[in-house]
Amino acid sequence: MQKLIVQGGAPLSGEISVQTAKNAALPIIAACILTDEPIIIENCPQLKDIDAMLNIMRHLGCSAEFIGDNLHVCCRDVSLNVINADLTGKLRSSIFILGSILSRCRKAYISHPGGCEIGLRPIDLHISGLKGLSVKIEDEGGVICCDGGDMKSAVINLDFASVGATENLMMAGALLDGETVIVNAAREPEIVDLAGFINEMGGKVSGAGGSIIRVTGVKKLHGCTYRPMPDRICAGTFLAACAASGGCVTVKNVVPEHLFGITERLKKTGAKLSVRGGTVRITASGRPKAIHKLETNVYPAFPTDMQPQFCAMLSRAMGSSVIVENLFENRFGYTTELVKMGANITVKDRIAVVAGVPRLHGATVKACDLRGGAALVIAALSAEGCTEIYGTEHIDRGYEKIEQSFAALGARIERVQS
Ligand code: UD1
């Protein structure tokens, strides 16, 4: 077992380049099944979630290996093996591989991905969307059995702009005759990136980034080399950490427009932000100001994946902040750990009231989910004294060697075997 040991209290300073986006790379890896030709994904992040997806790909007969920072994937032959619970349990977003397997093989078998720490995360939109493309779907003892023998393109109206369901349907439509139209599609930048990748393979996807996406099926897709977008949530995590601890940090390799929902809220804390090309610089000192109301919602609003990190930062704010979580019903679990560090947070259903305290203190805490884990790191960096953070395996799902990133910014943080 590993833990992070953080000596808090030092301001952050320096430059950091963000990794490639996990949430862009995952669907792009799944989409490699759409072609029997080799694909190179440049600068692919090396993370636990990526490993979990690659294990699913290998289980289906694809080859996948890192050569340096580049991931080489080839799905020359795809076997219709059941993707069992051992594999899906490690990665809830495994469900969106259904669309690409169906597109390529017209059949797919996958165990139900189950719940997760931050909420129920049902898959009804994925299932109803695929049924809308005439896929027959039955649940046989927890295995979702899909028969796409009669699959055809259609207009699919999503009841909610789900990221994963939109991605699933884009992949499902890529090789179908005719035009698949996704109405009320998710508009996240990762959707635009997936469209870019499918188009790079010779597909025809238009409208991504807007709420109507059109996928015109093509007969065959070909191999390509693709570099996914930078990780906007990692970038936001470094910026929020600086707003919490003070200092001056330049975050490089970002698309500043992707960060708008985050940077606008950071300005409310009194931090100074400046954008230049693909970099964002933040300068902060003293305690942050509270944010009267911080509400998560779909892009371009404030992202749910930044909610815990902001909560950690606002724990030391001057005044009280109200955080409303609109996407996941159980995403405040980490706050009990922040309270152990002296934070004053009251949670009721989807609302957290954060009464800022002058100082947090070190404690022994445990990460129970990815972004909640990042929140604990931010709190520890701005706390007085030493914090030990267990549950590093959750943090490693989405951050490449988080301790090295923060150490490069002057933080006193190390990973040890416990
Ligand atoms: C993706 C991101 C995740 C992020 C989330 C919201 C990846 C790998 N993960 O997750 O980090 O937090 O977007 O920005 O890209 N829902 C249903 N039925 C469904 C599908 C979703 O009710 O069939 C609900 C979910 O329970 C949740 C909301 O819709 O309340 C948002 O989910 P969705 O947009 O699908 O998120 P994911 O694709 O799972």
Short mmCIF file of all heavy atoms in Angstrom, two decimals, residues 121-187:
data_model
loop_
_atom_site.label_atom_id
_atom_site.label_comp_id
_atom_site.label_asym_id
_atom_site.label_seq_id
_atom_site.Cartn_x
_atom_site.Cartn_y
_atom_site.Cartn_z
N ARG A 121 -24.89 6.28 -11.22
CA ARG A 121 -24.42 6.28 -12.61
C ARG A 121 -25.11 5.21 -13.46
O ARG A 121 -24.50 4.23 -13.88
CB ARG A 121 -22.90 6.14 -12.66
CG ARG A 121 -22.24 7.23 -11.88
CD ARG A 121 -20.75 7.20 -12.02
NE ARG A 121 -20.31 8.07 -13.11
CZ ARG A 121 -19.04 8.41 -13.30
NH1 ARG A 121 -18.11 7.96 -12.54
NH2 ARG A 121 -18.72 9.19 -14.29
N PRO A 122 -26.39 5.37 -13.70
CA PRO A 122 -27.12 4.40 -14.51
C PRO A 122 -26.67 4.45 -15.98
O PRO A 122 -25.96 5.37 -16.38
CB PRO A 122 -28.58 4.83 -14.39
CG PRO A 122 -28.52 6.25 -13.97
CD PRO A 122 -27.22 6.48 -13.26
N ILE A 123 -27.11 3.45 -16.75
CA ILE A 123 -26.69 3.39 -18.16
C ILE A 123 -27.89 3.41 -19.10
O ILE A 123 -27.79 3.04 -20.26
CB ILE A 123 -25.81 2.15 -18.44
CG1 ILE A 123 -26.55 0.87 -18.04
CG2 ILE A 123 -24.49 2.25 -17.71
CD1 ILE A 123 -25.90 -0.38 -18.61
N ASP A 124 -29.04 3.84 -18.55
CA ASP A 124 -30.27 3.82 -19.35
C ASP A 124 -30.15 4.60 -20.66
O ASP A 124 -30.69 4.19 -21.69
CB ASP A 124 -31.45 4.34 -18.52
CG ASP A 124 -31.17 5.70 -17.92
OD1 ASP A 124 -30.06 5.88 -17.38
OD2 ASP A 124 -32.04 6.58 -18.01
N LEU A 125 -29.43 5.72 -20.64
CA LEU A 125 -29.34 6.54 -21.86
C LEU A 125 -28.52 5.84 -22.94
O LEU A 125 -28.81 5.94 -24.13
CB LEU A 125 -28.71 7.90 -21.54
CG LEU A 125 -29.53 8.78 -20.59
CD1 LEU A 125 -28.68 9.95 -20.09
CD2 LEU A 125 -30.77 9.31 -21.31
N HIS A 126 -27.50 5.10 -22.49
CA HIS A 126 -26.69 4.33 -23.45
C HIS A 126 -27.58 3.25 -24.10
O HIS A 126 -27.56 3.07 -25.32
CB HIS A 126 -25.53 3.61 -22.73
CG HIS A 126 -24.56 4.53 -22.07
ND1 HIS A 126 -23.32 4.80 -22.58
CD2 HIS A 126 -24.65 5.26 -20.92
CE1 HIS A 126 -22.68 5.65 -21.77
NE2 HIS A 126 -23.47 5.93 -20.76
N ILE A 127 -28.32 2.57 -23.25
CA ILE A 127 -29.14 1.45 -23.73
C ILE A 127 -30.25 1.96 -24.65
O ILE A 127 -30.44 1.44 -25.76
CB ILE A 127 -29.75 0.67 -22.54
CG1 ILE A 127 -28.62 0.12 -21.63
CG2 ILE A 127 -30.69 -0.44 -23.01
CD1 ILE A 127 -27.73 -0.91 -22.25
N SER A 128 -30.96 3.02 -24.22
CA SER A 128 -32.08 3.47 -25.05
C SER A 128 -31.55 4.07 -26.36
O SER A 128 -32.18 3.92 -27.41
CB SER A 128 -32.99 4.44 -24.30
OG SER A 128 -32.26 5.58 -23.96
N GLY A 129 -30.40 4.71 -26.30
CA GLY A 129 -29.81 5.26 -27.54
C GLY A 129 -29.49 4.15 -28.52
O GLY A 129 -29.82 4.24 -29.72
N LEU A 130 -28.86 3.08 -28.04
CA LEU A 130 -28.50 1.98 -28.94
C LEU A 130 -29.76 1.27 -29.45
O LEU A 130 -29.82 0.86 -30.62
CB LEU A 130 -27.57 0.99 -28.22
CG LEU A 130 -26.16 1.53 -27.91
CD1 LEU A 130 -25.38 0.56 -27.03
CD2 LEU A 130 -25.39 1.83 -29.20
N LYS A 131 -30.77 1.16 -28.58
CA LYS A 131 -32.03 0.57 -29.05
C LYS A 131 -32.63 1.42 -30.17
O LYS A 131 -33.22 0.90 -31.11
CB LYS A 131 -33.03 0.45 -27.89
CG LYS A 131 -32.73 -0.74 -26.97
CD LYS A 131 -33.80 -0.90 -25.90
CE LYS A 131 -33.57 -2.17 -25.09
NZ LYS A 131 -34.38 -2.21 -23.86
N GLY A 132 -32.43 2.73 -30.05
CA GLY A 132 -32.90 3.64 -31.10
C GLY A 132 -32.21 3.37 -32.44
O GLY A 132 -32.73 3.72 -33.51
N LEU A 133 -31.05 2.73 -32.40
CA LEU A 133 -30.35 2.35 -33.65
C LEU A 133 -30.70 0.91 -34.02
O LEU A 133 -29.96 0.25 -34.76
CB LEU A 133 -28.83 2.50 -33.46
CG LEU A 133 -28.29 3.91 -33.17
CD1 LEU A 133 -26.78 3.89 -32.99
CD2 LEU A 133 -28.66 4.89 -34.30
N SER A 134 -31.78 0.42 -33.45
CA SER A 134 -32.31 -0.93 -33.73
C SER A 134 -31.43 -2.06 -33.21
O SER A 134 -31.45 -3.17 -33.76
CB SER A 134 -32.57 -1.14 -35.23
OG SER A 134 -33.45 -0.16 -35.71
N VAL A 135 -30.67 -1.78 -32.16
CA VAL A 135 -29.91 -2.87 -31.51
C VAL A 135 -30.86 -3.57 -30.54
O VAL A 135 -31.57 -2.91 -29.78
CB VAL A 135 -28.69 -2.30 -30.73
CG1 VAL A 135 -27.93 -3.42 -30.04
CG2 VAL A 135 -27.79 -1.51 -31.66
N LYS A 136 -30.87 -4.92 -30.59
CA LYS A 136 -31.69 -5.66 -29.61
C LYS A 136 -30.81 -5.90 -28.38
O LYS A 136 -29.69 -6.41 -28.50
CB LYS A 136 -32.12 -7.00 -30.20
CG LYS A 136 -33.06 -6.83 -31.38
CD LYS A 136 -33.63 -8.19 -31.78
CE LYS A 136 -34.37 -8.10 -33.11
NZ LYS A 136 -33.43 -8.02 -34.28
N ILE A 137 -31.34 -5.52 -27.21
CA ILE A 137 -30.52 -5.61 -25.99
C ILE A 137 -31.26 -6.38 -24.91
O ILE A 137 -32.43 -6.09 -24.62
CB ILE A 137 -30.15 -4.20 -25.48
CG1 ILE A 137 -29.43 -3.42 -26.58
CG2 ILE A 137 -29.29 -4.29 -24.22
CD1 ILE A 137 -28.96 -2.04 -26.22
N GLU A 138 -30.59 -7.37 -24.33
CA GLU A 138 -31.17 -8.10 -23.20
C GLU A 138 -30.14 -8.23 -22.11
O GLU A 138 -28.94 -8.35 -22.37
CB GLU A 138 -31.61 -9.49 -23.65
CG GLU A 138 -32.99 -9.43 -24.30
CD GLU A 138 -33.40 -10.74 -24.90
OE1 GLU A 138 -32.97 -11.77 -24.34
OE2 GLU A 138 -34.10 -10.72 -25.91
N ASP A 139 -30.64 -8.24 -20.88
CA ASP A 139 -29.75 -8.44 -19.73
C ASP A 139 -29.85 -9.90 -19.34
O ASP A 139 -30.90 -10.37 -18.92
CB ASP A 139 -30.22 -7.51 -18.60
CG ASP A 139 -29.22 -7.50 -17.45
OD1 ASP A 139 -28.67 -8.56 -17.12
OD2 ASP A 139 -28.98 -6.41 -16.89
N GLU A 140 -28.77 -10.66 -19.53
CA GLU A 140 -28.80 -12.07 -19.14
C GLU A 140 -27.85 -12.27 -17.96
O GLU A 140 -26.64 -12.34 -18.15
CB GLU A 140 -28.41 -12.97 -20.32
CG GLU A 140 -29.51 -12.99 -21.37
CD GLU A 140 -29.15 -13.82 -22.60
OE1 GLU A 140 -28.19 -14.62 -22.53
OE2 GLU A 140 -29.83 -13.65 -23.63
N GLY A 141 -28.44 -12.32 -16.77
CA GLY A 141 -27.64 -12.54 -15.55
C GLY A 141 -26.55 -11.51 -15.37
O GLY A 141 -25.42 -11.86 -15.02
N GLY A 142 -26.87 -10.24 -15.59
CA GLY A 142 -25.88 -9.17 -15.38
C GLY A 142 -25.01 -8.91 -16.60
O GLY A 142 -24.19 -7.99 -16.58
N VAL A 143 -25.16 -9.74 -17.65
CA VAL A 143 -24.40 -9.48 -18.88
C VAL A 143 -25.35 -8.80 -19.89
O VAL A 143 -26.44 -9.30 -20.16
CB VAL A 143 -23.83 -10.77 -19.49
CG1 VAL A 143 -23.09 -10.48 -20.80
CG2 VAL A 143 -22.89 -11.45 -18.50
N ILE A 144 -24.92 -7.67 -20.39
CA ILE A 144 -25.74 -6.96 -21.38
C ILE A 144 -25.40 -7.56 -22.75
O ILE A 144 -24.26 -7.47 -23.22
CB ILE A 144 -25.41 -5.45 -21.36
CG1 ILE A 144 -25.61 -4.90 -19.95
CG2 ILE A 144 -26.27 -4.68 -22.35
CD1 ILE A 144 -24.97 -3.54 -19.73
N CYS A 145 -26.39 -8.21 -23.36
CA CYS A 145 -26.17 -8.91 -24.63
C CYS A 145 -26.78 -8.05 -25.74
O CYS A 145 -27.98 -7.76 -25.72
CB CYS A 145 -26.84 -10.28 -24.62
SG CYS A 145 -26.22 -11.31 -23.28
N CYS A 146 -25.97 -7.65 -26.69
CA CYS A 146 -26.44 -6.75 -27.74
C CYS A 146 -26.36 -7.44 -29.09
O CYS A 146 -25.31 -7.99 -29.46
CB CYS A 146 -25.56 -5.52 -27.82
SG CYS A 146 -25.47 -4.62 -26.28
N ASP A 147 -27.46 -7.39 -29.81
CA ASP A 147 -27.50 -7.95 -31.16
C ASP A 147 -27.79 -6.79 -32.12
O ASP A 147 -28.89 -6.23 -32.13
CB ASP A 147 -28.60 -9.02 -31.23
CG ASP A 147 -28.73 -9.60 -32.63
OD1 ASP A 147 -28.05 -9.09 -33.55
OD2 ASP A 147 -29.53 -10.54 -32.80
N GLY A 148 -26.78 -6.44 -32.90
CA GLY A 148 -26.93 -5.32 -33.82
C GLY A 148 -27.11 -5.78 -35.26
O GLY A 148 -26.78 -5.03 -36.19
N GLY A 149 -27.64 -7.00 -35.43
CA GLY A 149 -27.82 -7.56 -36.78
C GLY A 149 -28.67 -6.67 -37.68
O GLY A 149 -28.43 -6.58 -38.88
N ASP A 150 -29.66 -6.01 -37.08
CA ASP A 150 -30.54 -5.13 -37.88
C ASP A 150 -30.25 -3.65 -37.66
O ASP A 150 -31.10 -2.79 -37.91
CB ASP A 150 -32.02 -5.38 -37.48
CG ASP A 150 -32.44 -6.80 -37.77
OD1 ASP A 150 -31.96 -7.37 -38.77
OD2 ASP A 150 -33.22 -7.36 -36.96
N MET A 151 -29.05 -3.38 -37.18
CA MET A 151 -28.72 -1.99 -36.82
C MET A 151 -28.91 -1.04 -37.99
O MET A 151 -28.47 -1.34 -39.11
CB MET A 151 -27.24 -1.94 -36.42
CG MET A 151 -26.99 -1.50 -35.04
SD MET A 151 -25.24 -1.76 -34.71
CE MET A 151 -24.76 -0.14 -34.23
N LYS A 152 -29.54 0.09 -37.71
CA LYS A 152 -29.60 1.13 -38.76
C LYS A 152 -29.57 2.52 -38.14
O LYS A 152 -29.93 2.70 -36.96
CB LYS A 152 -30.81 0.94 -39.67
CG LYS A 152 -32.13 0.72 -39.05
CD LYS A 152 -33.17 0.61 -40.18
CE LYS A 152 -34.57 0.42 -39.65
NZ LYS A 152 -34.80 -0.86 -39.00
N SER A 153 -29.14 3.46 -38.94
CA SER A 153 -29.00 4.83 -38.44
C SER A 153 -30.38 5.40 -38.14
O SER A 153 -31.39 4.93 -38.67
CB SER A 153 -28.25 5.69 -39.45
OG SER A 153 -28.85 5.57 -40.72
N ALA A 154 -30.40 6.42 -37.29
CA ALA A 154 -31.66 7.01 -36.85
C ALA A 154 -31.37 8.35 -36.19
O ALA A 154 -30.22 8.73 -36.02
CB ALA A 154 -32.34 6.08 -35.84
N VAL A 155 -32.46 9.03 -35.83
CA VAL A 155 -32.33 10.25 -35.04
C VAL A 155 -32.54 9.84 -33.58
O VAL A 155 -33.56 9.23 -33.24
CB VAL A 155 -33.40 11.29 -35.45
CG1 VAL A 155 -33.30 12.53 -34.55
CG2 VAL A 155 -33.23 11.67 -36.92
N ILE A 156 -31.57 10.14 -32.72
CA ILE A 156 -31.66 9.76 -31.31
C ILE A 156 -31.73 11.04 -30.49
O ILE A 156 -30.86 11.91 -30.60
CB ILE A 156 -30.40 8.97 -30.85
CG1 ILE A 156 -30.11 7.79 -31.78
CG2 ILE A 156 -30.53 8.54 -29.39
CD1 ILE A 156 -31.13 6.71 -31.76
N ASN A 157 -32.77 11.12 -29.67
CA ASN A 157 -32.94 12.28 -28.83
C ASN A 157 -32.56 11.90 -27.41
O ASN A 157 -33.26 11.10 -26.78
CB ASN A 157 -34.43 12.67 -28.90
CG ASN A 157 -34.61 14.15 -28.72
OD1 ASN A 157 -33.88 14.75 -27.93
ND2 ASN A 157 -35.56 14.72 -29.44
N LEU A 158 -31.46 12.43 -26.89
CA LEU A 158 -31.06 12.07 -25.53
C LEU A 158 -31.87 12.89 -24.52
O LEU A 158 -31.99 14.11 -24.66
CB LEU A 158 -29.57 12.34 -25.33
CG LEU A 158 -28.60 11.42 -26.07
CD1 LEU A 158 -27.15 11.90 -25.86
CD2 LEU A 158 -28.74 9.98 -25.58
N ASP A 159 -32.40 12.23 -23.49
CA ASP A 159 -33.16 12.95 -22.46
C ASP A 159 -32.25 13.87 -21.66
O ASP A 159 -32.68 14.87 -21.09
CB ASP A 159 -33.79 11.96 -21.47
CG ASP A 159 -34.96 11.25 -22.09
OD1 ASP A 159 -35.46 11.74 -23.13
OD2 ASP A 159 -35.37 10.20 -21.56
N PHE A 160 -30.98 13.48 -21.57
CA PHE A 160 -29.99 14.28 -20.85
C PHE A 160 -28.71 14.23 -21.68
O PHE A 160 -28.38 13.18 -22.26
CB PHE A 160 -29.77 13.70 -19.45
CG PHE A 160 -28.67 14.40 -18.70
CD1 PHE A 160 -28.91 15.60 -18.06
CD2 PHE A 160 -27.40 13.86 -18.66
CE1 PHE A 160 -27.88 16.27 -17.39
CE2 PHE A 160 -26.37 14.51 -17.99
CZ PHE A 160 -26.62 15.72 -17.35
N ALA A 161 -27.96 15.33 -21.70
CA ALA A 161 -26.76 15.40 -22.55
C ALA A 161 -25.60 14.64 -21.89
O ALA A 161 -24.63 15.24 -21.43
CB ALA A 161 -26.41 16.86 -22.79
N SER A 162 -25.72 13.33 -21.85
CA SER A 162 -24.70 12.48 -21.23
C SER A 162 -23.45 12.41 -22.11
O SER A 162 -23.55 12.17 -23.32
CB SER A 162 -25.28 11.08 -21.02
OG SER A 162 -24.27 10.10 -21.06
N VAL A 163 -22.29 12.59 -21.49
CA VAL A 163 -21.02 12.53 -22.22
C VAL A 163 -20.83 11.12 -22.80
O VAL A 163 -20.62 10.94 -24.01
CB VAL A 163 -19.85 12.90 -21.28
CG1 VAL A 163 -18.51 12.71 -21.97
CG2 VAL A 163 -20.00 14.33 -20.78
N GLY A 164 -20.90 10.12 -21.92
CA GLY A 164 -20.62 8.75 -22.36
C GLY A 164 -21.63 8.26 -23.40
O GLY A 164 -21.25 7.59 -24.37
N ALA A 165 -22.91 8.58 -23.20
CA ALA A 165 -23.92 8.10 -24.16
C ALA A 165 -23.70 8.75 -25.52
O ALA A 165 -23.83 8.11 -26.57
CB ALA A 165 -25.33 8.39 -23.63
N THR A 166 -23.34 10.05 -25.52
CA THR A 166 -23.06 10.73 -26.79
C THR A 166 -21.90 10.04 -27.50
O THR A 166 -21.95 9.75 -28.71
CB THR A 166 -22.74 12.22 -26.54
OG1 THR A 166 -23.84 12.82 -25.87
CG2 THR A 166 -22.46 12.96 -27.83
N GLU A 167 -20.84 9.73 -26.73
CA GLU A 167 -19.66 9.09 -27.33
C GLU A 167 -20.00 7.70 -27.87
O GLU A 167 -19.59 7.32 -28.98
CB GLU A 167 -18.54 9.01 -26.28
CG GLU A 167 -18.01 10.39 -25.95
CD GLU A 167 -17.12 10.47 -24.72
OE1 GLU A 167 -17.14 9.55 -23.88
OE2 GLU A 167 -16.42 11.48 -24.57
N ASN A 168 -20.78 6.96 -27.09
CA ASN A 168 -21.19 5.63 -27.51
C ASN A 168 -21.91 5.67 -28.86
O ASN A 168 -21.64 4.89 -29.78
CB ASN A 168 -22.16 5.08 -26.45
CG ASN A 168 -21.88 3.63 -26.14
OD1 ASN A 168 -21.25 2.93 -26.93
ND2 ASN A 168 -22.36 3.18 -25.01
N LEU A 169 -22.83 6.64 -28.97
CA LEU A 169 -23.64 6.73 -30.20
C LEU A 169 -22.82 7.22 -31.38
O LEU A 169 -23.05 6.79 -32.52
CB LEU A 169 -24.85 7.64 -29.95
CG LEU A 169 -25.87 7.03 -28.98
CD1 LEU A 169 -26.90 8.06 -28.55
CD2 LEU A 169 -26.55 5.81 -29.61
N MET A 170 -21.85 8.09 -31.11
CA MET A 170 -20.98 8.55 -32.22
C MET A 170 -20.23 7.35 -32.80
O MET A 170 -20.09 7.21 -34.02
CB MET A 170 -19.97 9.58 -31.71
CG MET A 170 -20.59 10.94 -31.42
SD MET A 170 -19.51 11.94 -30.38
CE MET A 170 -18.23 12.39 -31.54
N MET A 171 -19.74 6.48 -31.91
CA MET A 171 -18.98 5.32 -32.38
C MET A 171 -19.92 4.31 -33.05
O MET A 171 -19.57 3.72 -34.07
CB MET A 171 -18.26 4.66 -31.20
CG MET A 171 -17.20 5.57 -30.61
SD MET A 171 -16.19 4.72 -29.38
CE MET A 171 -16.50 5.68 -27.92
N ALA A 172 -21.11 4.16 -32.47
CA ALA A 172 -22.06 3.20 -33.03
C ALA A 172 -22.45 3.59 -34.45
O ALA A 172 -22.67 2.73 -35.31
CB ALA A 172 -23.30 3.10 -32.14
N GLY A 173 -22.54 4.90 -34.71
CA GLY A 173 -23.01 5.35 -36.02
C GLY A 173 -21.92 5.43 -37.08
O GLY A 173 -22.21 5.56 -38.28
N ALA A 174 -20.65 5.33 -36.65
CA ALA A 174 -19.54 5.65 -37.57
C ALA A 174 -19.50 4.77 -38.82
O ALA A 174 -19.08 5.22 -39.88
CB ALA A 174 -18.22 5.55 -36.81
N LEU A 175 -19.94 3.51 -38.69
CA LEU A 175 -19.85 2.59 -39.85
C LEU A 175 -21.23 2.16 -40.35
O LEU A 175 -21.34 1.23 -41.14
CB LEU A 175 -19.03 1.34 -39.45
CG LEU A 175 -17.54 1.57 -39.11
CD1 LEU A 175 -16.93 0.33 -38.47
CD2 LEU A 175 -16.75 1.94 -40.37
N LEU A 176 -22.29 2.84 -39.86
CA LEU A 176 -23.64 2.47 -40.30
C LEU A 176 -24.00 3.16 -41.61
O LEU A 176 -23.59 4.29 -41.84
CB LEU A 176 -24.67 2.92 -39.25
CG LEU A 176 -24.83 2.10 -37.98
CD1 LEU A 176 -25.96 2.70 -37.15
CD2 LEU A 176 -25.14 0.65 -38.32
N ASP A 177 -24.82 2.53 -42.42
CA ASP A 177 -25.34 3.20 -43.61
C ASP A 177 -26.17 4.41 -43.18
O ASP A 177 -26.94 4.30 -42.22
CB ASP A 177 -26.29 2.27 -44.39
CG ASP A 177 -25.50 1.35 -45.30
OD1 ASP A 177 -24.30 1.60 -45.49
OD2 ASP A 177 -26.11 0.37 -45.79
N GLY A 178 -26.05 5.51 -43.86
CA GLY A 178 -26.92 6.66 -43.61
C GLY A 178 -26.44 7.55 -42.48
O GLY A 178 -25.30 7.43 -42.01
N GLU A 179 -27.33 8.42 -42.01
CA GLU A 179 -26.94 9.45 -41.04
C GLU A 179 -27.56 9.19 -39.67
O GLU A 179 -28.78 9.06 -39.55
CB GLU A 179 -27.40 10.82 -41.57
CG GLU A 179 -26.88 11.96 -40.73
CD GLU A 179 -27.33 13.33 -41.26
OE1 GLU A 179 -28.53 13.65 -41.16
OE2 GLU A 179 -26.47 14.07 -41.75
N THR A 180 -26.70 9.11 -38.66
CA THR A 180 -27.16 9.03 -37.28
C THR A 180 -27.12 10.44 -36.72
O THR A 180 -26.08 11.10 -36.79
CB THR A 180 -26.24 8.10 -36.46
OG1 THR A 180 -26.32 6.78 -37.02
CG2 THR A 180 -26.64 8.05 -34.99
N VAL A 181 -28.24 10.90 -36.18
CA VAL A 181 -28.29 12.26 -35.64
C VAL A 181 -28.49 12.16 -34.12
O VAL A 181 -29.42 11.48 -33.67
CB VAL A 181 -29.45 13.07 -36.27
CG1 VAL A 181 -29.43 14.51 -35.76
CG2 VAL A 181 -29.35 13.04 -37.80
N ILE A 182 -27.62 12.80 -33.37
CA ILE A 182 -27.74 12.79 -31.91
C ILE A 182 -28.24 14.17 -31.49
O ILE A 182 -27.54 15.17 -31.67
CB ILE A 182 -26.40 12.46 -31.22
CG1 ILE A 182 -25.80 11.17 -31.83
CG2 ILE A 182 -26.58 12.31 -29.71
CD1 ILE A 182 -24.33 10.96 -31.48
N VAL A 183 -29.45 14.19 -30.98
CA VAL A 183 -30.06 15.47 -30.56
C VAL A 183 -29.92 15.59 -29.04
O VAL A 183 -30.10 14.60 -28.32
CB VAL A 183 -31.55 15.51 -30.98
CG1 VAL A 183 -32.20 16.83 -30.55
CG2 VAL A 183 -31.69 15.30 -32.48
N ASN A 184 -29.63 16.78 -28.57
CA ASN A 184 -29.29 17.04 -27.16
C ASN A 184 -28.00 16.29 -26.79
O ASN A 184 -27.89 15.68 -25.72
CB ASN A 184 -30.44 16.64 -26.22
CG ASN A 184 -30.23 17.20 -24.82
OD1 ASN A 184 -29.55 18.21 -24.64
ND2 ASN A 184 -30.78 16.53 -23.82
N ALA A 185 -27.04 16.37 -27.70
CA ALA A 185 -25.74 15.74 -27.46
C ALA A 185 -24.96 16.54 -26.41
O ALA A 185 -25.18 17.73 -26.24
CB ALA A 185 -24.93 15.75 -28.77
N ALA A 186 -24.06 15.83 -25.70
CA ALA A 186 -23.16 16.53 -24.78
C ALA A 186 -22.22 17.41 -25.61
O ALA A 186 -21.90 17.09 -26.76
CB ALA A 186 -22.37 15.53 -23.95
N ARG A 187 -21.76 18.52 -25.01
CA ARG A 187 -20.96 19.50 -25.76
C ARG A 187 -19.54 19.62 -25.21
O ARG A 187 -18.82 20.57 -25.53
CB ARG A 187 -21.67 20.85 -25.73
CG ARG A 187 -22.99 20.81 -26.49
CD ARG A 187 -23.64 22.17 -26.55
NE ARG A 187 -24.05 22.61 -25.22
CZ ARG A 187 -24.18 23.88 -24.86
NH1 ARG A 187 -23.93 24.85 -25.71
NH2 ARG A 187 -24.56 24.19 -23.64
#
